[in-house]
Amino acid sequence: EIAQAECTFGKKPWVKYWMNNEFLVLSKGEKMAKSGENFLYLSSLEKKGFSALDYRYFCLGTHYKKQLMFSFEALEGARNAREKLQEHYWSLRNNVSDLLENDFSGFNFKPDEDVIDSLQKFHVDFSSQINDDLNTVQALATVWGLVKDDSINDLNKLKSLELFDQVLGLSFSKIKKETIKVPKKILDLAKERFVARNNENWEKS
Protein backbone atom coordinates (compact mmCIF):
# COMPACT_ATOMS: atom_id res chain seq x y z
CA GLU A 1 0.00 0.00 0.00
CA ILE A 2 2.80 2.41 0.87
CA ALA A 3 4.65 1.63 -2.37
CA GLN A 4 1.52 2.23 -4.48
CA ALA A 5 0.66 5.47 -2.71
CA GLU A 6 4.18 6.90 -2.94
CA CYS A 7 4.38 6.04 -6.64
CA THR A 8 1.05 7.79 -7.20
CA PHE A 9 1.60 10.93 -5.15
CA GLY A 10 5.35 11.43 -5.44
CA LYS A 11 8.52 10.44 -3.69
CA LYS A 12 7.66 11.46 -0.17
CA PRO A 13 6.89 9.46 2.99
CA TRP A 14 3.28 8.35 3.02
CA VAL A 15 2.53 7.02 6.51
CA LYS A 16 4.56 5.81 9.48
CA TYR A 17 1.95 3.35 10.71
CA TRP A 18 -0.63 1.18 8.99
CA MET A 19 -3.50 -0.30 11.00
CA ASN A 20 -6.33 -2.55 9.90
CA ASN A 21 -9.82 -2.10 11.27
CA GLU A 22 -11.85 -4.94 12.70
CA PHE A 23 -14.32 -6.62 10.35
CA LEU A 24 -17.27 -4.77 8.90
CA VAL A 25 -20.29 -6.88 9.79
CA LEU A 26 -23.57 -6.68 7.87
CA SER A 27 -26.94 -6.48 9.57
CA LYS A 28 -27.46 -10.24 9.26
CA GLY A 29 -24.20 -10.91 11.10
CA GLU A 30 -22.25 -11.74 7.93
CA LYS A 31 -18.65 -10.60 7.62
CA MET A 32 -18.08 -8.63 4.47
CA ALA A 33 -15.32 -10.12 2.33
CA LYS A 34 -13.97 -9.33 -1.12
CA SER A 35 -14.40 -12.95 -2.09
CA GLY A 36 -18.12 -12.91 -1.24
CA GLU A 37 -21.17 -11.51 -3.00
CA ASN A 38 -21.96 -9.21 -0.09
CA PHE A 39 -19.03 -6.83 -0.68
CA LEU A 40 -20.12 -3.18 -0.65
CA TYR A 41 -18.28 -0.64 -2.78
CA LEU A 42 -18.26 3.09 -2.14
CA SER A 43 -19.74 3.55 -5.60
CA SER A 44 -22.75 1.45 -4.61
CA LEU A 45 -23.30 3.64 -1.54
CA GLU A 46 -23.05 6.77 -3.68
CA LYS A 47 -25.73 5.41 -6.01
CA LYS A 48 -28.01 5.24 -2.97
CA GLY A 49 -27.38 8.91 -2.21
CA PHE A 50 -24.62 8.63 0.38
CA SER A 51 -21.28 10.40 0.18
CA ALA A 52 -17.82 9.19 1.13
CA LEU A 53 -17.93 11.60 4.07
CA ASP A 54 -21.14 10.00 5.33
CA TYR A 55 -19.34 6.68 5.41
CA ARG A 56 -16.32 8.30 7.07
CA TYR A 57 -18.49 9.70 9.86
CA PHE A 58 -20.11 6.27 10.21
CA CYS A 59 -16.67 4.67 10.67
CA LEU A 60 -15.59 7.31 13.19
CA GLY A 61 -18.57 6.35 15.33
CA THR A 62 -17.00 3.00 16.28
CA HIS A 63 -13.52 2.29 17.61
CA TYR A 64 -11.32 0.80 14.92
CA LYS A 65 -10.58 -2.29 17.05
CA LYS A 66 -14.28 -3.15 17.36
CA GLN A 67 -16.46 -4.79 14.75
CA LEU A 68 -18.54 -2.27 12.85
CA MET A 69 -22.15 -3.29 12.32
CA PHE A 70 -23.32 -1.99 8.97
CA SER A 71 -26.86 -1.21 7.91
CA PHE A 72 -28.27 1.46 5.66
CA GLU A 73 -30.33 2.73 8.58
CA ALA A 74 -27.14 3.26 10.60
CA LEU A 75 -25.46 4.92 7.63
CA GLU A 76 -28.44 7.25 7.23
CA GLY A 77 -28.12 8.18 10.90
CA ALA A 78 -24.44 8.98 10.34
CA ARG A 79 -25.32 11.11 7.31
CA ASN A 80 -27.90 13.09 9.29
CA ALA A 81 -25.44 13.69 12.13
CA ARG A 82 -22.66 14.77 9.77
CA GLU A 83 -24.96 17.15 7.89
CA LYS A 84 -26.17 18.69 11.16
CA LEU A 85 -22.58 19.18 12.28
CA GLN A 86 -21.77 20.81 8.97
CA GLU A 87 -24.83 23.06 9.28
CA HIS A 88 -23.58 24.13 12.71
CA TYR A 89 -20.22 24.97 11.16
CA TRP A 90 -21.76 27.14 8.45
CA SER A 91 -24.13 28.81 10.88
CA LEU A 92 -21.12 29.78 12.99
CA ARG A 93 -19.26 30.99 9.93
CA ASN A 94 -22.21 33.12 8.81
CA ASN A 95 -22.49 34.58 12.32
CA VAL A 96 -18.92 35.87 12.07
CA SER A 97 -19.12 36.87 8.41
CA ASP A 98 -17.59 40.27 9.24
CA LEU A 99 -14.32 38.45 9.93
CA LEU A 100 -14.20 36.37 6.75
CA GLU A 101 -11.05 38.18 5.70
CA ASN A 102 -9.24 36.34 8.50
CA ASP A 103 -7.55 33.00 8.10
CA PHE A 104 -9.65 30.29 9.73
CA SER A 105 -7.35 27.41 8.86
CA GLY A 106 -4.51 27.64 11.33
CA PHE A 107 -3.52 26.16 14.64
CA ASN A 108 -2.49 29.50 16.11
CA PHE A 109 -5.38 31.50 17.46
CA LYS A 110 -5.85 33.17 20.82
CA PRO A 111 -9.21 32.48 22.46
CA ASP A 112 -11.01 35.18 24.40
CA GLU A 113 -9.95 35.39 28.03
CA ASP A 114 -13.46 34.81 29.37
CA VAL A 115 -13.77 31.41 27.68
CA ILE A 116 -10.19 30.17 27.79
CA ASP A 117 -10.74 27.62 30.59
CA SER A 118 -13.82 25.95 29.12
CA LEU A 119 -12.44 26.10 25.58
CA GLN A 120 -9.10 24.68 26.64
CA LYS A 121 -10.87 21.72 28.23
CA PHE A 122 -12.42 20.78 24.88
CA HIS A 123 -9.03 21.00 23.20
CA VAL A 124 -7.32 18.95 25.89
CA ASP A 125 -10.11 16.35 25.87
CA PHE A 126 -10.07 16.04 22.08
CA SER A 127 -6.29 15.66 21.95
CA SER A 128 -6.18 13.08 24.75
CA GLN A 129 -9.01 11.06 23.20
CA ILE A 130 -7.35 10.93 19.77
CA ASN A 131 -4.06 9.99 21.43
CA ASP A 132 -5.83 7.27 23.42
CA ASP A 133 -5.60 4.68 20.65
CA LEU A 134 -7.68 6.80 18.24
CA ASN A 135 -10.79 7.00 20.38
CA THR A 136 -12.81 8.75 17.68
CA VAL A 137 -16.10 7.91 19.41
CA GLN A 138 -15.27 10.11 22.39
CA ALA A 139 -13.61 12.71 20.14
CA LEU A 140 -16.87 13.14 18.21
CA ALA A 141 -18.74 13.49 21.49
CA THR A 142 -16.33 16.27 22.46
CA VAL A 143 -16.95 18.03 19.14
CA TRP A 144 -20.70 17.95 19.75
CA GLY A 145 -20.17 19.16 23.30
CA LEU A 146 -18.25 22.16 21.96
CA VAL A 147 -20.96 23.00 19.44
CA LYS A 148 -23.67 22.96 22.10
CA ASP A 149 -21.75 24.94 24.75
CA ASP A 150 -23.37 28.38 24.94
CA SER A 151 -20.53 29.81 27.05
CA ILE A 152 -18.12 29.80 24.08
CA ASN A 153 -18.54 32.42 21.37
CA ASP A 154 -19.03 31.62 17.71
CA LEU A 155 -15.56 32.59 16.50
CA ASN A 156 -13.80 30.37 19.03
CA LYS A 157 -16.16 27.51 18.19
CA LEU A 158 -15.52 27.97 14.49
CA LYS A 159 -11.75 27.96 14.76
CA SER A 160 -11.84 24.98 17.12
CA LEU A 161 -14.02 23.01 14.70
CA GLU A 162 -11.59 23.69 11.86
CA LEU A 163 -8.71 22.57 14.05
CA PHE A 164 -10.49 19.35 15.05
CA ASP A 165 -11.45 18.70 11.44
CA GLN A 166 -7.77 18.53 10.51
CA VAL A 167 -7.87 15.24 12.42
CA LEU A 168 -11.38 14.01 11.60
CA GLY A 169 -11.25 14.89 7.89
CA LEU A 170 -14.98 15.64 7.55
CA SER A 171 -14.33 18.69 5.32
CA PHE A 172 -16.83 21.04 6.94
CA SER A 173 -15.83 23.99 4.78
CA LYS A 174 -14.73 22.36 1.53
CA ILE A 175 -18.09 20.97 0.43
CA LYS A 176 -20.08 24.09 1.18
CA LYS A 177 -17.64 26.28 -0.70
CA GLU A 178 -18.20 24.13 -3.76
CA THR A 179 -22.00 24.30 -3.61
CA ILE A 180 -22.79 27.84 -2.42
CA LYS A 181 -22.44 30.75 -4.83
CA VAL A 182 -22.80 34.14 -3.20
CA PRO A 183 -23.77 36.97 -5.60
CA LYS A 184 -20.99 39.50 -6.26
CA LYS A 185 -23.22 42.35 -5.09
CA ILE A 186 -23.56 40.71 -1.67
CA LEU A 187 -19.81 40.06 -1.44
CA ASP A 188 -19.07 43.71 -2.28
CA LEU A 189 -21.49 44.90 0.40
CA ALA A 190 -19.94 42.55 2.95
CA LYS A 191 -16.47 43.92 2.16
CA GLU A 192 -17.69 47.50 2.46
CA ARG A 193 -19.26 46.73 5.83
CA PHE A 194 -16.07 45.02 7.01
CA VAL A 195 -13.98 48.09 6.08
CA ALA A 196 -16.49 50.47 7.68
CA ARG A 197 -16.47 48.49 10.94
CA ASN A 198 -12.67 48.46 10.99
CA ASN A 199 -12.76 52.25 10.64
CA GLU A 200 -15.38 52.44 13.40
CA ASN A 201 -17.87 53.97 10.99
CA TRP A 202 -20.83 52.38 12.71
CA GLU A 203 -23.48 54.38 10.87
CA LYS A 204 -22.24 53.24 7.45
CA SER A 205 -21.70 49.63 8.58
Side-chain angles (χ1 to χ4, degrees), residues 13-198:
W14 185 243
V15 291
K16 292 183 178 180
Y17 306 100
W18 187 274
M19 296 179 294
N20 286 324
N21 284 50
E22 247 286 9
F23 287 113
L24 181 65
V25 180
L26 302 181
S27 56
K28 295 181 180 179
E30 307 171 20
K31 293 179 182 178
M32 193 172 74
K34 289 183 180 179
S35 58
E37 296 180 358
N38 60 356
F39 192 76
L40 288 174
Y41 290 91
L42 186 58
S43 57
S44 62
L45 298 182
E46 290 175 336
K47 288 178 181 178
K48 291 183 178 290
F50 297 98
S51 72
L53 290 175
D54 296 332
Y55 182 71
R56 184 178 185 87
Y57 190 101
F58 172 68
C59 290
L60 292 174
T62 301
H63 193 271
Y64 77 95
K65 286 184 177 178
K66 294 183 178 180
Q67 288 189 346
L68 181 59
M69 298 294 295
F70 178 86
S71 69
F72 282 103
E73 291 79 8
L75 185 58
E76 186 173 353
R79 176 176 62 186
N80 293 338
R82 184 193 66 78
E83 288 179 348
K84 285 181 181 178
L85 196 55
Q86 190 180 24
E87 287 171 7
H88 279 297
Y89 169 86
W90 278 98
S91 177
L92 293 170
R93 187 161 181 130
N94 290 335
N95 289 347
V96 296
S97 59
D98 292 343
L99 305 175
L100 285 179
E101 298 292 331
N102 289 357
D103 178 14
F104 288 136
S105 62
F107 286 84
N108 300 317
F109 74 95
K110 185 178 180 181
D112 295 342
E113 292 295 331
D114 60 339
V115 299
I116 193 167
D117 290 338
S118 54
L119 183 63
Q120 186 178 35
K121 184 180 186 304
F122 285 110
H123 283 248
V124 169
D125 286 349
F126 184 87
S127 179
S128 63
Q129 289 153 359
I130 290 297
N131 285 307
D132 181 18
D133 199 18
L134 289 178
N135 192 340
T136 56
V137 181
Q138 287 300 314
L140 278 177
T142 295
V143 171
W144 279 106
L146 170 71
V147 168
K148 296 177 181 179
D149 193 325
D150 294 332
S151 69
I152 298 174
N153 68 39
D154 292 344
L155 182 58
N156 284 314
K157 283 184 181 181
L158 179 69
K159 290 191 172 185
S160 297
L161 282 178
E162 291 206 343
L163 175 62
F164 296 162
D165 196 37
Q166 292 184 32
V167 178
L168 300 174
L170 293 171
S171 302
F172 297 138
S173 61
K174 183 178 180 181
I175 294 179
K176 207 70 173 183
K177 285 178 181 176
E178 293 173 352
T179 56
I180 286 184
K181 292 183 179 179
V182 181
K184 184 178 183 302
K185 181 179 179 181
I186 301 299
L187 290 174
D188 290 341
L189 286 171
K191 288 179 181 178
E192 284 185 34
R193 182 168 186 262
F194 181 80
V195 172
R197 284 174 63 85
N198 274 356

